[in-house]
Amino acid sequence: MGILVENNEERSKLQDRITADLRERAATTSKNEGGKDVDLVEDSAYIEGTKTSRGSAWFWIILVILALVALGIIFFVK
């Protein structure tokens, strides 16, 4: 996010408002977490029972490589 403002008193007021808003949001977020450290160990349960890759993963890798080679030939042959 960016806002262009002339270099005058309004810029410092705008920066002060943005800084105060960000500090307030950070304080609210830290209160919601209860002050505990977040290590995301409990959040990793969604991965249980999933596969790392399917047997056809090699097919997609080769297909992408062939597509890149085809695009290279099209653009460099002209």
Side-chain angles (χ1 to χ4, degrees):
M1 165 175 37
I3 299 175
L4 297 176
V5 179
E6 292 180 19
N7 192 8
N8 57 18
E9 189 65 29
E10 290 296 318
R11 177 182 170 135
S12 63
K13 289 180 184 178
L14 179 62
Q15 286 177 341
D16 291 340
R17 286 191 303 174
I18 291 172
T19 303
D21 185 44
L22 290 175
R23 284 185 184 154
E24 181 182 337
R25 288 183 186 180
T28 304
T29 303
S30 66
K31 287 180 185 176
N32 290 341
E33 291 177 358
K36 65 176 184 175
D37 291 335
V38 179
D39 60 359
L40 302 176
V41 172
E42 293 135 7
D43 296 338
S44 64
Y46 74 94
I47 295 178
E48 291 179 12
T50 59
K51 295 181 180 180
T52 54
S53 66
R54 297 188 320 198
S56 63
W58 61 270
F59 171 76
W60 292 107
I61 293 171
I62 292 174
L63 188 65
V64 167
I65 291 171
L66 288 175
L68 291 174
V69 169
L71 285 173
I73 290 172
I74 290 171
F75 287 117
F76 291 118
V77 169
K78 286 184 176 185

